[in-house]
Amino acid sequence: MTITIGLPSKGRMKEDASAIFERAGMKIVAVGNDRSYRGRVEGFDDVEIAFLSASEISREIGNGTVDFGVTGEDLIREGLSEADRRVEIAARLGFGHADVVVAVPDIWLDVETMADLGDVAAEFRARHGRRLAIATKYWRLTQQHFSSQHGIQLYRIVESLGATEGAPAAGQADIIVDITSTGSTLKANHLKVLSDGVILRSEACLVRARKPEHEGNATVAKIVEAVRGVV
Ligand SMILES: Nc1ncnc2c1ncn2[C@@H]1O[C@H](COP(=O)(O)OP(=O)(O)OP(=O)(O)O)[C@@H](O)[C@H]1O
Ligand SMILES: O=P(O)(O)OC[C@H]1O[C@H](OP(=O)(O)OP(=O)(O)O)[C@H](O)[C@@H]1O
């Protein structure tokens, strides 16, 4: 059986993901020329590499098209329903750290917690004649955090595919759910994170699709062991 590993073909995780495999004794070589989206691993004849974007990797692990992948935990939990049933986080890789957070305008002085935000959401319609609007690309994580975890139902999600932090000032939304690493983008846009507003502390992970045929497969075990040995 050939084991396929999805690695980022571009973006912020690309270099670090390949470097981890190299440190683990699995040197990746491109098949064909440099622009090829296929690779192999020196010394592992039954392993192939598929170079994909970070969000494609999460999707392909979810549907089992690749056996392993390196991607952010945020993309796994946002992209896949019942993620823990479908995939296993085999190793946390120590790079690509970012938190998915709930942030509100600095000037909302009375709003520090999700409970405060729940009160605001409840009053919002009476005061403004509409629901609290949340700009985000993290639909699933937002719904889980607001509805399931904090019992807040009165809100509406405004899809944002970029420059999410600008949405409140632009009048497109009231608050945001987005990723932050240094916090400088939030600060520049006069937003603050609620004290219990960290939805997920994400980092790059080696993720395995849960497949029955992995049971007892020596190559699968070797890949996990090799990567765990260097993180
Ligand atoms: N400052 C940051 N901003 C955004 N994402 C970050 C940051 N730091 C780490 N990440 C992580 O990087 C991953 C996304 O990587 P990247 O932006 O390179 O993907 P991408 O190539 O844009 O993928 P796609 O095109 O599929 O969206 C996510 O898992 C995210 O959590
Ligand atoms: O907390 P900070 O260090 O300020 O980082 C957070 C910002 O970085 C990312 O955007 P980026 O400009 O990298 O573009 P992207 O969303 O297209 O990846 C992310 O979407 C945030 O806006």
Side-chain angles (χ1 to χ4, degrees):
M1 181 172 88
T2 300
I3 299 293
T4 306
I5 306 175
L7 291 184
S9 58
K10 65 179 182 84
R12 47 174 54 88
M13 290 187 172
K14 179 175 188 260
E15 310 299 332
D16 288 335
S18 296
I20 285 266
F21 276 88
E22 188 142 359
R23 284 217 308 275
M26 299 178 65
K27 187 171 166 23
I28 291 155
V29 284
V31 170
N33 61 33
D34 273 359
R35 299 203 57 84
S36 162
Y37 286 110
R38 283 295 189 202
R40 51 180 197 82
V41 179
E42 266 180 19
F44 287 69
D45 290 342
D46 53 351
V47 174
E48 71 174 18
I49 304 292
F51 291 105
L52 301 162
S53 78
S55 53
E56 279 169 340
I57 290 171
S58 134
R59 193 184 63 214
E60 301 298 298
I61 297 173
N63 63 29
T65 323
V66 301
D67 297 282
F68 286 95
V70 171
T71 190
E73 186 178 355
D74 58 330
L75 299 180
I76 291 286
R77 302 215 174 275
E78 176 60 26
L80 306 179
S81 63
E82 300 190 293
D84 291 317
R85 191 180 60 73
R86 292 159 73 180
V87 308
E88 177 201 29
I89 296 198
R92 296 188 173 272
L93 302 179
F95 63 87
H97 289 280
D99 295 344
V100 180
V101 300
V102 182
V104 306
D106 281 337
I107 50 163
W108 289 19
L109 299 179
D110 297 342
V111 182
E112 291 294 344
T113 65
M114 287 300 295
D116 297 338
L117 190 58
D119 294 342
V120 172
E123 286 165 17
F124 223 78
R125 198 203 287 270
R127 258 200 217 166
H128 305 287
R130 59 177 181 82
R131 287 176 183 230
L132 178 79
I134 308 173
T136 191
K137 60 171 178 284
Y138 292 96
W139 285 71
R140 190 189 307 277
L141 291 175
T142 299
Q143 281 169 355
Q144 277 168 2
H145 191 74
F146 278 71
S147 305
S148 313
Q149 254 171 281
H150 290 278
I152 303 174
Q153 313 294 351
L154 290 170
Y155 60 85
R156 125 185 120 83
I157 292 179
V158 178
E159 182 158 30
S160 166
L161 296 177
T164 307
E165 295 88 346
Q172 293 157 346
D174 303 297
I175 68 169
I176 69 157
V177 168
D178 200 14
I179 201 120
T180 178
S181 48
T182 63
S184 51
T185 311
L186 290 175
K187 200 166 168 219
N189 287 282
H190 310 290
L191 298 169
K192 62 178 179 182
V193 177
L194 299 181
S195 59
D196 51 355
V198 178
I199 299 180
L200 178 70
R201 293 193 194 282
S202 180
E203 70 183 283
C205 294
L206 175 68
V207 187
R208 182 180 67 83
R210 292 188 190 276
K211 291 189 188 181
E213 59 267 36
H214 286 177
E215 205 73 38
N217 182 301
T219 305
V220 168
K222 209 166 150 188
I223 292 168
V224 172
E225 195 186 330
V227 172
R228 282 186 185 161
V230 294
V231 292

